[in-house]
Amino acid sequence: MKTSNAVGGFKYYTGIDSLADIATRSVRVCVLNILGGESSDVTPVGHAWSGGNVVFGTSPGRRGQVLDTPAGPIPVYNNVREGLEAGHRFNCGVVYLPPSAADDGVVELVRVNPDLNKIFIPTEKMSVHDAREIRALAQLNGIDIFGGNSLGVADAWNQVRIGGALGGDSPGDTLKKGSIAVLSNSGGFTTTIAQYLRMAGWGTTTLISSGKDVYIHYAAPEFAHALANDDRSKAAVLYCEPGGYYERDANFTKPVVACVVGRWKSKLTRAVGHAGAMAGGADDAASKERWFMEKFGVDALFTPQNPVVSKKGAVVVNIADIPAALTAVMRANGVQPDFAPEGTMELKPWFISTRGLQLPKELDLAPVEAPEPYREQIAALKQQVGTVLPRQTMKDTSGASQMDAKTQLTSLHGVSMLDAAQYPLEANVSLALLHEPGGVNDQRLINVAIGSGLNLHGHPALAAAQAAREAGNAPNSVLATAASILGPKSQEAARRAVQVLIEQFAAAGLADALDEGFDARGVRIDDTALFTGKEADPRAQAMLAGLQARSAKSVFVRYLQSLPGHPTEDAVLAAITATLAWGPLMRKRISRLTAESLPAWMRLFGALIGASVPAEQHTVDSFCGITMQDILEQRPISEVAFIALLGLPPNPADLFSFQVLVGLLLSNGPGTISAQGAKGAVSADGPEDPSRVQLNKALVGFLTHTGYAHGGNGYEGIAFLIEQFKDAGLQDPGNPDHGIDLHALAHRYVKAYASYKSTKKNTGSLDIQKIPGVNHPVFKDKPVNHDPREVFIAKLFAERGEYNVFHQFYRTLVQALFDAGVSRNVYCVNIDAVIAALLLKMLWQPYRSGAYSAAALETAAFTIFLYPRMIGCAAEIDDHLNRGRNMDTRTPASQCRFVA
Amino acid sequence: MQITGMLHGARLLQLVGFPTAEVLGPDANDDEIKGLIERHKQVFIKPVFRGGVGKKGKAGLLGRVSDLKSALKEKERLYFAEHQHGNQYAKANGVTFEGGVPSEHEIYFSLTDSTEYRAPTMTLTHHGGMDIEELDNTQIARVPFNPLTGLKAFIVANALSELNAPKEIISPLVQHLPNLWDLFHDYGMTTLELNPIRLRADKRGRLTPVACDFKCGFDRDDPRWQRLDLPAHLFAADTSPFEQEINQLRTYQGQSDVYIINDKGTILAPTFGGGANSLVTQMLGDDAIISSDFGGNPPYEKMKSVASICFKHWLKQSNVLFIIGGKSNNTDIFETFRAMADALREHFGQYGPSPLYVVVGRGGPNLVRGMAVLRDTCEALGLPYASFGFDSAMSEVVDYARKVDAWMKAGGRAQIAARLNVNA
C-alpha cells in the first residue's frame, strides 16, 4: 500500500493533512462523462468560479466536442488516456457516471493517471459491491475519495469548487469567506447551512458534502484531522444522519456544532433517501447524539429554550438552531462572528393568499419582497395577463375537445355536447373561445358583435360567395370563398385596439369588466386614432345603440364613449371583446393571444353566416328580411342564424331543435377530418410565431376538410326518410296522431332491403349500401344497442312533450330489421338519424308545399353542420395557436406507405 | 430486503458449495418427514417468516422433535406463528423441517461492511449458538479484508489462530468459509450471517461444517441479487400497495423513494432531497402520511405520475399539501411544480374538490415560474396557499405547515370545505 504520504495515523490511508489543501487553485480536474445531463449544467459554473480548473473531460465517441463555459471551452476526449496523450495533466477526477458505470470510471482514473490523488463521485445509488472495490483500489494507490452521492467540495477562501453543484448556480453569492468548515451528509443542506451561517454572521472556509451511502470515503475522522491543521478554520459544523460509526471515531480539537437528524429512522425497515441512513442499532441517531455530547462534555441538546453548550461544542437536532448554537459556542471561546448578521430566520412568504379565511395571527403573514433577481421576476409576473401555455406537438392532440371512447361523447372545454345542446348558440361561441358558456351579459355582447358582421352588402366577399354558389359549389366551398377574402388586414385595427385596451386596463388594475364604479383615470391611451375618428361612424353608432338597447354592460364601452371624438367600428368591437375576455383572462383560463383574436373571430362568424345565404338577402339595411336595427338591438344570433339557414320564421319548438343540433355538432374530437384541416392550417403557418397565423385561412382549412361524406352526409338520412314517407300522407311530423302505421312502413322497407341484400350477395357483390342512421362501430355488441346520444335526445324531447314521427320511425325500423332476421341484433339508432329527423321535422311542411326543393334541403343539411362545426373548429384553431409547434401535424415519411 | 431461514438459504448456500443441513419445506408429506427423522434422529421445526426476523429461538418459536407425531404437532403450532421484534411484527407462513446435526462445536460467522474499518469484515467465533452480543471481545474475531482479493483461507486461519480455536475445526472452516465471500460479494448482499454452523463428524472423525441457519440482506441498488431467481413475493411484504405503485416508477432519473409513516396522517409532504426528507420527517412526526424523496430532477411525466399516485391514495384525508425541499442544485422547479399542479387539477377534476391548504418551501432553477404555476392552480381551484423561498429557514417553514395543520384540525378544514361547497 502506498502509504508514504499517508497522514494522521489512521487505520486506512488518507492523504489530506489540512482542509486548506483540498480545493486549491492548483488542483487540476478531469471530468468523466462531462457532456452528461447533470455535468453539462453544473461543470461550467464550477469551472468558471474556480478560475478554470477543469483541464479536459471524457465522453465516449464525442472526441473533438467541447463543453462551453463562461471561462472558455473545455475539450472533450473519448477516454482519459487520449486526454493525457494530448498533453493535459490532472490530479483530480470527477466521476459523473450512472451507478452501473461509476466504478469503471474510478478504475480508469486510477489505472491511467499516476498523478491522481483525489476522486469525487457525485453518483447516487451506487451498489455497496462497487463501493467496496473502489475503496480498496483507492487505498492501494493512495488516493482520497469523496462520495458516493456527494455534491463535492467548495472552498470559500480559494474560490474553488470541485465535483458537484455546491453553492448552486452562483457559488460566489452563497459562499462568503469566514472561519467555519462544514461537513455534511446531505448535499443540498451543505449549501443551506452556509446560508444559515451567514444569517448569524459566520462565513465558511471549506465545505464538504460527504454523501450518506454505506461507504463514506471521506468522513468525520479524517475531516477532524484536516480541520485541526487548517489555520483558516476556527470551528466546524457537522450535519449527520444515522448509520455508520464515523463520527464516533473522530477526534475534534476545535469547537464543533453537530446537527444530528433522523431519530425517526429507528422505526424504519427500509432506507429512504440516504442509503446508509438507517439504524442497525448502535449507530442510530440517538447513539450519535450521545457520542457528540460525550465529546463536548454537555449533558443535553442545544435548543433556543435550553441553550446548552461547552467550549468544545454543542449538539442540535434542528438545522435552524445551528447558527445560534455556533455563536454561543464561539462566544464561550471568546470568538466573535466573522461579520455582521445578514438576515433573519423569519418566515418570508413570497406568495400568500388566505382567501379571506379566519386565520390565527401566526399564519396570516404578509407577503415579503424576495431578494433579487427573484423580486424582479415576481414583479414581471404581475404584468402577465392571462395564462401562458407550454408548447408541444399537437398532432392529433387537443386541449379543447376530448372524446370519451366508451360513451363516444365529446366534450368541449369540459362541457359535453349533450349539455352544449341545451345552450343557446351565443353561449357556445363563448364556450369555444372563452372556455366557459358565460352569462347573460356575455350573450348580449356576442349578439351585437356577431350581428354587426352579418350584412355583407356591397362587400366583395358576398359577390365571391354568390359566384361560387352559382357555379354549383357545395356550401363549404361557398363559405371558404368568402373566408379567403376576409384577410388579416381587415382585422388588424380591432386587434391592435384590443391589445392596447388589455395592456392599459390591466396596468390600471381592472378586476371586473362590469364594474360600474371603476375609475378609468389611470388608463393612458396614446394612439387615439385607434379608437376614435373625427367623423361619426354609423356602423359604430348602430352597434352602440344595440348594446344600449340590450342593456349590455361594459367598462370598456363606457370608457370608449368618454373619449373625445367618435368611436370607430373597430374600437367598439374591441371594447366588446375585451369585456368578454376580461374575466377568463383574470382567472387565467385563457391567454392574451386568445383574447386578442376575439375581434377577428366575431367578424368571421358573422361573415360566414352571412355568406351562407344568397346575395339578394343582403340589402343596405336588412339581412334575410330582418332590419339591421332589429338584429343589433333585439334578436339573438341563434334566431337570426335559424332564419338564415332555413328561411323560415322560427317558432319556439323549431328554435329549440335548432339549438340542440348546434350543440350536438360542435365537435367530435380532434380526430375528425374537419378538425384536422383546421389544425393543419395553423400548423402550416407556424403557431410559434402566432402573429403569422391566418385565422381566416384556418377556417378555410376546416371548410375544405368537410364534404359530402363528412358533414354533408346529413342529407343521406333526410333523403332516406323522404323516400319512406313520400306517399304516407304525413302532414305534421310533430303530431302523434298522424294516423300512419309506422310498423307497416318499416316492414315494407325491411322487405325491400332484405331482397336487395340477397340479390347483391347472389351476384357476388360485397358492396352493400348501408342504411343511413342505424348501427354504429362502437355501440353494436349487445342484443339491443343504444347510442347514448340518441337516448339522451329522445328523453330530452319527450320531457318537453314534443313528438317526432321520423325519430319514432327509426326506432321502429331497427326493431323491424331484427324481427325480420335482417340484423343479428337490434341496431342502435345513431346520432345521424337524430339529426336527420330533427331537421326534416322542421322542413317537412315547406318541402311538401314546394317552397323547399330537394337541393335546398341538401344545402340546409350541410350548412346546419357547418355553423356549429365552425365554432368548434375555431376552438381547435385557437387551441393549436396557443399550444402547437410549427409543422407539428406532419406525418414523418417513415410512417407513410406506398402502394403500387 | 432480507431473507431469514433455510428454506431459501439452503439453496443459496448450495450455489457456492457450502454444506447445509437437510431441509424440507412446508409442503413436505408425512413420508418425507418420517424419512428425515430416521436419517437424523433429531429434527428442528422452524416457522418461515418473510424479511429479516431475529430472536426467534428466544421467543420459543423453535420445535425439536424425534418422532412424526410431535413433528406434525409442532408444524401446527408454528405454521402461522406471530412474532414481535423491534418495531416489526411478523407472521409466519409455513415451516421448515431441518435435520439436526450432532456436533461438539457451534460456529458463528458473518460478513458485513464495517464503517469502522471501511472494508468488508468477517466476524467469526467458535463460541457460537449464543447471542454474539453476550460474548467478550477476546472471544470474537472481527477481521476486515481486501474485497479485491476476497476472503482468503489465510484470513480465516489467522482469525482462528488468534481465538485459540480447537485444532480440529480449523481445517474444515479454512476450506469452506472462503466460498461464502463469492455468495456475499457477487450476488449483491450487504450482510450474511450463519449462526450456527455445526461441524459434523464422518465415520473417521473428520469434520465438515454444516450451515444450520441462514440470514442475509440484499443491496437494493445492486442488480446482482436478481441472478438468484428469488421469487418476487419474498420481498413484496416490505411494501404497501402505495409504495409498490411508486416503486414501479423507479429509475435513476430522479428518486422516487417513499415510505408510509402514518396512514392516518394529515400532512401530505412531497419532499425533495435526502436532507430535506430527514428534517421534514423528523419534525412532522406522526402528522406526516409519507416520508419521501422525489428529488434528482425527475422529468415532467414522471413527477406527474408520482404526484397523481400520491393524491389518489392520500389527498382526501390530507389537511395540508406541503411541497418542500432545499435550494435545488439541478431539479427544475418549474417542471416539477407544473407537474404537481397539473396532477392536482386533474385529481380535482376526476374526484371533485377536497379542502386543502397548500404550503410550499423551495429554491432552485426556474423558481418563480414554478411558484407562479402552483399559485395559479391554487387560485383556480379556490385553495389558500403560502409559498416560501429559500430565504426562509426550512425548519420554520415546516413549523408553519404544522401550525396550518393544527388550525385545519381545529375547524379550518370545515371553513375551506364550505367555500368549496363540499363536505369537510
Side-chain angles (χ1 to χ4, degrees):
Chain A
M1 184 151 98
K2 206 168 84 182
T3 52
S4 50
N5 46 335
V7 298
F10 293 98
K11 294 191 274 286
Y12 42 80
Y13 169 83
T14 175
I16 294 169
D17 215 17
S18 161
L19 292 180
D21 300 336
I22 302 180
T24 69
R25 288 246 151 178
S26 61
V27 172
R28 297 290 105 202
V29 179
C30 167
V31 177
L32 301 189
N33 196 26
I34 192 172
L35 297 175
E38 201 177 317
S39 165
S40 37
D41 285 332
V42 172
T43 302
V45 176
H47 177 73
W49 189 55
S50 312
N53 59 350
V54 179
V55 295
F56 73 92
T58 68
S59 182
R62 310 254 206 110
R63 180 205 178 92
Q65 290 186 24
V66 298
L67 178 68
D68 283 313
T69 82
I74 302 174
V76 177
Y77 297 89
N78 286 329
N79 53 57
V80 177
R81 193 174 63 174
E82 273 185 14
L84 291 175
E85 279 169 356
H88 299 290
R89 289 290 170 268
F90 69 95
N91 51 9
C92 174
V94 177
V95 177
Y96 255 118
L97 292 161
S100 53
D103 66 335
D104 296 59
V106 170
V107 177
E108 179 183 3
L109 285 167
V110 174
R111 303 285 284 152
V112 172
N113 183 6
D115 297 333
L116 190 73
N117 54 39
K118 281 198 284 281
I119 298 180
F120 288 83
I121 310 181
T123 308
E124 297 172 41
K125 298 200 192 304
M126 276 196 330
S127 65
V128 177
H129 171 286
D130 292 349
R132 281 176 206 139
E133 294 193 350
I134 285 173
R135 179 159 189 87
L137 187 68
Q139 289 281 296
L140 219 52
N141 289 278
I143 293 168
D144 283 285
I145 301 188
F146 294 78
N149 199 359
S150 158
L151 271 190
V153 71
D155 191 308
W157 285 52
N158 299 330
Q159 299 206 346
V160 172
R161 176 173 102 180
I162 308 174
L166 275 188
D169 295 338
S170 82
D173 291 340
T174 320
L175 304 176
K176 196 162 164 173
K177 191 167 146 172
S179 53
I180 311 299
V182 177
L183 178 70
S184 168
N185 286 162
S186 157
F189 271 20
T190 319
T191 310
T192 308
I193 290 171
Q195 288 168 329
Y196 280 22
L197 289 176
R198 283 175 72 156
M199 286 189 213
W202 295 102
T204 45
T205 53
T206 302
L207 302 95
I208 301 177
S209 159
S210 70
K212 194 62 200 81
D213 288 353
V214 173
Y215 277 83
I216 299 179
H217 297 292
Y218 191 86
E222 40 278 18
F223 173 82
H225 170 82
L227 171 70
N229 291 334
D230 177 18
D231 294 330
R232 317 162 307 165
S233 300
K234 297 182 186 157
V237 171
L238 263 64
Y239 179 87
C240 313
E241 298 237 2
Y245 291 89
Y246 303 102
E247 295 82 6
R248 189 194 64 181
D249 298 338
N251 281 322
F252 292 102
T253 57
K254 291 184 179 172
V256 167
V257 169
C259 180
V260 179
V261 295
R263 270 195 188 181
W264 56 277
K265 290 195 173 160
S266 321
K267 291 200 267 175
L268 292 191
T269 58
R270 205 179 83 241
V272 175
H274 286 162
M278 277 183 62
D283 56 351
D284 61 3
S287 303
K288 295 206 179 189
E289 287 168 25
R290 273 197 317 273
W291 300 339
F292 282 114
M293 292 200 294
E294 264 174 49
K295 285 183 206 289
F296 305 151
V298 294
D299 55 9
L301 301 171
F302 174 101
T303 64
Q305 296 78 24
N306 189 19
V308 176
V309 301
S310 78
K311 281 169 85 162
K312 290 191 177 167
V315 184
V316 301
V317 293
N318 186 336
I319 192 178
D321 297 336
I322 290 177
L326 179 66
T327 304
V329 168
M330 296 308 267
R331 202 180 315 117
N333 283 281
V335 177
Q336 295 297 321
D338 297 324
F339 40 77
E342 286 192 355
T344 66
M345 295 282 240
E346 267 167 26
L347 279 175
K348 309 173 192 82
W350 292 5
F351 297 93
I352 188 162
S353 163
T354 56
R355 300 202 82 88
L357 294 160
Q358 309 271 24
L359 287 170
K361 245 200 327 236
E362 55 185 0
L363 297 181
D364 198 358
L365 304 171
V368 165
E369 240 181 36
E372 293 292 355
Y374 302 96
R375 187 209 62 81
E376 201 182 310
Q377 293 170 8
I378 294 174
L381 272 185
K382 285 212 177 72
Q383 292 177 13
Q384 182 195 311
V385 179
T387 187
V388 175
L389 294 162
R391 289 198 178 271
Q392 60 185 85
T393 194
M394 291 299 283
K395 181 176 170 62
D396 301 329
T397 309
S398 174
S401 67
Q402 188 180 33
M403 184 196 284
D404 182 315
K406 237 183 11 180
T407 62
Q408 294 285 291
L409 265 184
T410 301
S411 60
L412 185 65
H413 292 301
V415 174
S416 95
M417 293 302 95
L418 298 182
D419 288 329
Q422 298 174 72
Y423 297 165
L425 187 146
E426 305 81 86
N428 284 324
V429 169
S430 176
L431 175 64
L433 293 168
L434 300 167
H435 302 203
E436 29 189 66
V440 171
N441 196 62
D442 299 300
Q443 290 175 22
R444 292 172 182 159
L445 293 166
I446 289 174
N447 283 328
V448 174
I450 297 183
S452 65
L454 285 170
N455 193 327
L456 297 171
H457 178 77
H459 196 292
L462 184 61
Q466 187 62 23
R469 182 176 294 113
E470 282 163 14
N473 281 290
N476 60 336
S477 296
V478 170
L479 292 189
T481 312
S484 298
I485 296 198
L486 297 157
K489 228 193 312 187
S490 61
Q491 292 142 30
E492 217 177 273
R495 177 181 287 268
R496 280 213 324 268
V498 85
Q499 276 171 347
V500 170
L501 285 176
I502 292 176
E503 211 174 278
Q504 290 304 319
F505 277 81
L510 176 69
D512 177 6
L514 307 186
D515 180 3
E516 301 275 301
F518 179 73
D519 182 356
R521 277 177 298 179
V523 176
R524 217 163 309 286
I525 292 195
D526 300 315
D527 189 2
T528 49
L530 268 181
F531 295 92
T532 56
K534 290 199 193 60
E535 308 281 318
D537 180 342
R539 289 176 69 101
Q541 286 177 330
M543 287 171 77
L544 289 169
L547 291 172
Q548 176 148 21
R550 294 176 192 264
S551 305
K553 307 223 179 316
S554 161
V555 163
F556 295 96
V557 172
R558 228 181 54 235
Y559 172 78
L560 188 61
Q561 289 173 309
S562 75
L563 292 175
H566 299 275
T568 65
E569 185 188 355
D570 287 325
V572 178
L573 184 60
I576 291 177
T577 51
T579 313
L580 288 168
W582 204 254
L585 269 180
M586 291 300 111
R587 274 174 280 121
K588 300 227 168 43
R589 293 219 60 185
I590 63 171
S591 70
R592 251 179 111 143
L593 191 52
T594 300
E596 291 167 5
S597 306
L598 279 179
W601 285 121
M602 296 297 147
R603 276 284 173 271
L604 285 166
F605 292 162
L608 291 189
I609 296 174
S612 71
V613 308
E616 72 244 17
Q617 297 287 348
H618 298 247
T619 74
V620 169
D621 49 16
S622 76
F623 171 77
C624 294
I626 319 170
T627 65
M628 285 317 294
Q629 183 176 8
D630 197 8
I631 288 177
L632 288 172
E633 295 184 14
Q634 290 262 26
R635 305 274 193 148
I637 277 297
S638 38
E639 221 178 274
V640 180
F642 179 99
I643 296 170
L645 174 75
L646 299 171
L648 301 170
N651 60 58
D654 285 345
L655 201 52
F656 181 76
S657 297
F658 174 72
Q659 168 187 297
V660 167
L661 281 171
V662 165
L664 285 178
L665 292 171
L666 275 178
S667 170
N668 220 12
T672 55
I673 301 180
S674 45
Q676 298 209 343
K679 289 164 72 69
V682 174
S683 186
D685 266 340
E688 292 177 64
D689 188 356
S691 62
R692 307 232 57 183
V693 174
Q694 306 164 73
L695 296 179
N696 65 318
K697 189 210 73 164
L699 277 183
V700 173
F702 139 63
L703 287 165
T704 58
H705 281 62
T706 59
Y708 293 119
H710 173 48
N713 59 328
Y715 182 63
E716 258 190 329
I718 290 179
F720 171 72
L721 286 170
I722 289 178
E723 180 64 31
Q724 305 313 310
F725 278 83
K726 68 173 185 238
D727 299 319
L730 175 67
Q731 299 283 10
D732 177 7
N735 182 357
D737 301 317
H738 45 71
I740 298 173
D741 185 351
L742 292 178
H743 283 277
L745 210 58
H747 276 280
R748 188 190 70 183
Y749 174 76
V750 170
K751 235 174 75 181
Y753 184 75
S755 132
Y756 156 77
K757 216 172 142 181
S758 79
T759 310
K760 276 280 183 174
K761 279 201 178 139
N762 288 341
T763 60
S765 166
L766 291 173
D767 204 0
I768 299 178
Q769 274 202 321
K770 302 255 179 292
I771 305 172
V774 306
N775 209 0
H776 188 281
V778 172
F779 312 113
K780 64 177 170 58
D781 293 321
K782 300 209 178 82
V784 179
N785 293 287
H786 294 286
D787 181 332
R789 302 162 294 177
E790 180 261 341
V791 171
F792 177 85
I793 299 296
K795 193 159 155 272
L796 184 63
F797 282 95
E799 278 166 8
R800 290 171 63 91
E802 287 173 22
Y803 175 84
N804 184 330
V805 69
F806 301 118
H807 194 164
Q808 192 54 39
F809 171 74
Y810 261 113
R811 288 189 151 193
T812 315
L813 177 63
V814 292
Q815 186 63 45
L817 282 167
F818 173 71
D819 291 338
V822 174
S823 63
R824 243 175 300 137
N825 52 21
V826 181
Y827 288 152
C828 70
V829 175
N830 67 35
I831 193 68
D832 290 332
V834 171
I835 292 168
L838 278 176
L839 197 50
L840 191 58
K841 179 180 171 191
M842 278 191 256
L843 294 175
W844 181 251
Q845 276 153 353
Y847 170 70
R848 289 262 296 179
S849 72
Y852 237 82
S853 66
L857 262 182
E858 184 165 16
T859 299
F862 202 149
T863 310
I864 199 168
F865 172 83
L866 293 177
Y867 285 173
R869 194 49 62 97
M870 164 182 76
I871 297 171
C873 279
E876 301 287 358
I877 292 166
D878 183 69
D879 178 60
H880 205 118
L881 177 65
N882 273 285
R883 296 184 191 248
R885 289 200 179 281
N886 297 359
M887 307 249 288
D888 55 356
T889 58
R890 187 180 158 278
T891 301
S894 55
Q895 290 174 20
C896 300
R897 294 184 304 149
F898 173 78
V899 284
Chain B
M1 285 170 46
Q2 294 170 316
I3 293 181
T4 324
M6 293 294 278
L7 182 61
H8 298 283
R11 181 172 75 83
L12 298 184
L13 288 168
Q14 280 153 24
L15 276 178
V16 291
F18 195 95
T20 70
E22 194 182 345
V23 179
L24 294 174
D27 48 353
N29 62 38
D30 290 1
D31 283 338
E32 288 165 332
I33 301 173
K34 219 159 139 223
L36 188 71
I37 296 174
E38 271 163 25
R39 281 191 295 281
H40 300 280
K41 306 291 175 278
Q42 200 174 79
V43 162
F44 291 98
I45 303 177
K46 302 178 186 170
V48 173
F49 290 102
R50 275 198 210 147
V53 179
K55 310 272 187 269
K56 301 187 290 287
K58 280 206 166 146
L61 293 178
L62 180 65
R64 191 195 297 225
V65 303
S66 40
D67 64 274
L68 178 63
K69 192 156 161 227
S70 316
L72 295 178
K73 234 174 101 191
E74 286 292 67
K75 172 179 173 178
E76 209 184 307
R77 175 174 80 91
L78 296 168
Y79 204 97
F80 291 114
E82 295 171 0
H83 183 51
Q84 179 88 28
H85 67 114
N87 289 311
Q88 273 210 307
Y89 160 83
K91 187 169 171 120
N93 190 352
V95 290
T96 50
F97 304 89
E98 300 172 19
V101 176
S103 170
E104 284 171 25
H105 309 277
E106 289 209 322
I107 315 294
Y108 173 97
F109 172 87
S110 77
L111 284 175
T112 189
D113 296 281
S114 158
T115 55
E116 294 172 80
Y117 300 109
R118 302 199 212 165
T121 303
M122 170 185 72
T123 305
L124 179 64
T125 176
H126 58 286
H127 306 285
M130 292 171 55
D131 245 344
I132 189 108
E133 289 89 18
E134 290 171 20
L135 289 174
D136 185 68
N137 271 340
T138 56
Q139 296 173 301
I140 311 172
R142 285 195 179 90
V143 187
F145 56 91
N146 186 334
L148 294 175
T149 40
L151 180 66
K152 290 291 174 226
F154 78 92
I155 298 175
V156 179
N158 290 358
L160 290 171
S161 207
E162 260 180 53
L163 290 174
N164 281 322
K167 282 198 300 287
E168 63 269 25
I169 70 171
I170 296 182
S171 178
L173 290 179
V174 165
Q175 273 178 64
H176 285 95
L177 288 183
N179 293 334
L180 294 171
W181 167 251
D182 293 339
L183 183 62
F184 177 80
H185 189 57
D186 294 338
Y187 291 96
M189 289 185 184
T190 50
T191 58
L192 173 62
E193 183 188 275
L194 305 183
N195 182 28
I197 298 173
R198 293 207 166 88
L199 289 153
R200 178 174 51 215
D202 68 5
K203 287 199 244 338
R204 281 187 277 170
R206 281 188 306 212
L207 297 176
T208 307
V210 178
C212 295
D213 205 355
F214 179 95
K215 220 185 331 184
C216 79
F218 292 101
D219 179 7
R220 260 174 199 281
D221 294 328
D222 191 342
R224 287 178 179 86
W225 63 264
Q226 289 161 14
R227 298 173 184 171
L228 294 168
D229 248 344
L230 293 165
H233 71 83
L234 272 190
F235 307 118
D238 286 6
T239 55
S240 69
F242 164 68
E243 288 159 345
Q244 276 175 48
E245 247 191 284
I246 299 273
N247 284 342
Q248 271 164 23
L249 299 173
R250 193 185 180 91
T251 66
Y252 76 85
Q253 266 186 313
Q255 287 85 283
S256 48
D257 282 341
V258 77
Y259 191 93
I260 298 179
I261 295 288
N262 178 8
D263 61 5
K264 308 254 183 314
T266 48
I267 303 181
L268 180 62
T271 309
F272 295 83
N277 160 263
S278 206
L279 177 80
V280 169
T281 311
Q282 177 150 322
M283 287 186 70
L284 290 182
D286 276 336
D287 288 334
I289 302 171
I290 59 173
S291 173
S292 59
D293 179 5
F294 297 139
N297 201 11
Y300 171 87
E301 280 306 331
K302 178 172 176 189
M303 185 71 244
K304 186 154 165 247
S305 305
V306 166
S308 300
I309 295 171
C310 288
F311 295 159
K312 183 174 75 176
H313 287 264
W314 308 115
L315 200 70
K316 190 145 171 271
Q317 72 194 66
S318 304
N319 286 334
V320 183
L321 175 61
F322 182 34
I323 298 172
I324 179 73
K327 190 171 184 193
S328 129
N329 296 298
N330 44 43
T331 298
D332 186 325
I333 309 303
F334 178 57
E335 283 299 299
T336 45
F337 277 24
R338 189 166 68 90
M340 286 188 280
D342 288 347
L344 185 63
R345 209 169 340 104
E346 279 176 24
H347 182 92
F348 270 38
Q350 198 176 353
Y351 298 97
S354 187
L356 194 66
Y357 209 115
V358 179
V359 178
V360 177
R362 198 69 167 112
N366 287 320
L367 177 63
V368 170
R369 280 181 80 196
M371 285 185 169
V373 159
L374 261 184
R375 173 199 64 177
D376 291 344
T377 302
C378 289
E379 293 278 354
L381 297 177
L383 302 175
Y385 58 86
S387 265
F388 301 93
F390 54 85
D391 58 342
S392 292
M394 192 187 296
S395 49
E396 302 301 300
V397 180
V398 179
D399 226 9
Y400 184 87
R402 272 195 17 235
K403 289 183 183 142
V404 170
D405 181 49
W407 173 78
M408 290 288 274
K409 285 177 177 157
R413 188 185 171 99
Q415 271 192 57
I416 299 182
R419 277 148 191 270
L420 294 176
N421 248 327
V422 290
N423 294 325

